[in-house]
Amino acid sequence: MARLRERPSAPTMGASPAALERAVLGSEIRFEPALTFFAPAALERGDDGLLVADVLRYNTSGNVSALADSDGFVELGRDHDCFPAGTVVRVFRWL
């Protein structure tokens, strides 16, 4: 029986995890619990060509309306509670 090869997804096209997309935060984010925070974000290119992630505010985890205006989400590590504007973060796009 022939083995089926899995096709790479469109966003990564088979790229290694180290080559995944990154962006800089457009504004400071504070998140105090010692947890990794996955925040919905709108993405845009700055005048300098950098991808800028603006984290969208929402009330609770059940408030999915914030997702409608997002392009994906960013990962903020649990090792900090303050992420200044310009911090490089990992981006996960919806598509």
Side-chain angles (χ1 to χ4, degrees), residues 42-79:
L43 304 170
E44 63 182 334
R45 289 269 172 214
D47 293 337
D48 55 6
L50 290 176
L51 186 62
V52 178
D54 289 312
V55 172
L56 303 175
R57 304 291 181 187
Y58 58 97
N59 292 328
T60 65
S61 62
N63 184 353
V64 296
S65 62
L67 300 179
D69 295 325
S70 70
D71 297 303
F73 59 95
V74 295
E75 179 181 5
L76 303 173
R78 66 173 143 191
D79 51 341

Side-chain angles (χ1 to χ4, degrees), residues 8-56:
S9 64
T12 61
M13 294 303 292
S16 68
L20 294 177
E21 195 168 21
R22 308 225 183 251
V24 295
L25 291 177
S27 60
E28 179 180 276
I29 302 297
R30 289 189 175 275
F31 184 72
E32 295 188 13
L35 301 169
T36 299
F37 182 35
F38 295 95
L43 304 170
E44 63 182 334
R45 289 269 172 214
D47 293 337
D48 55 6
L50 290 176
L51 186 62
V52 178
D54 289 312
V55 172
L56 303 175

